[in-house]
Amino acid sequence: MGNKVKTLEKEVLELSRDELSTFRDWFVKFDADTWDRQIESDIHSGKLDKLAAKALSDHKQGKSREF
């Protein structure tokens, strides 16, 4: 583990309850935004095209169902 991560771990351990709550809220949003950007990038680059085509093909063949 890198020095930055160890430093961050130490800092997080020293946060008050309120600070930890604020940090947690920020990190959840940060993580979700990062995930969204990655998915958008993968969509635009075509990385998901084969998966989408397979899913549509399977659906047309009756291999899926609605919930």
Side-chain angles (χ1 to χ4, degrees):
M1 197 175 333
N3 286 337
K4 282 186 178 184
V5 173
K6 287 184 180 186
T7 300
L8 285 169
E9 283 182 350
K10 183 177 183 274
E11 292 292 326
V12 169
L13 288 171
E14 294 174 2
L15 294 175
S16 70
R17 221 177 253 224
D18 288 342
E19 291 169 328
L20 183 58
S21 178
T22 300
F23 174 74
R24 186 182 300 115
D25 292 344
W26 171 83
F27 189 80
V28 166
K29 183 175 180 346
F30 168 80
D31 197 37
D33 290 346
T34 300
W35 173 257
D36 289 347
R37 281 191 302 277
Q38 183 63 55
I39 289 294
E40 288 175 13
S41 174
D42 290 349
I43 289 168
H44 292 299
S45 72
K47 285 185 179 180
L48 302 177
D49 290 354
K50 286 183 182 180
L51 290 173
K54 173 79 168 113
L56 290 172
S57 173
D58 287 352
H59 180 69
K60 288 178 184 175
Q61 294 174 32
K63 296 180 181 179
S64 65
R65 60 185 170 90
E66 291 187 34
F67 288 96

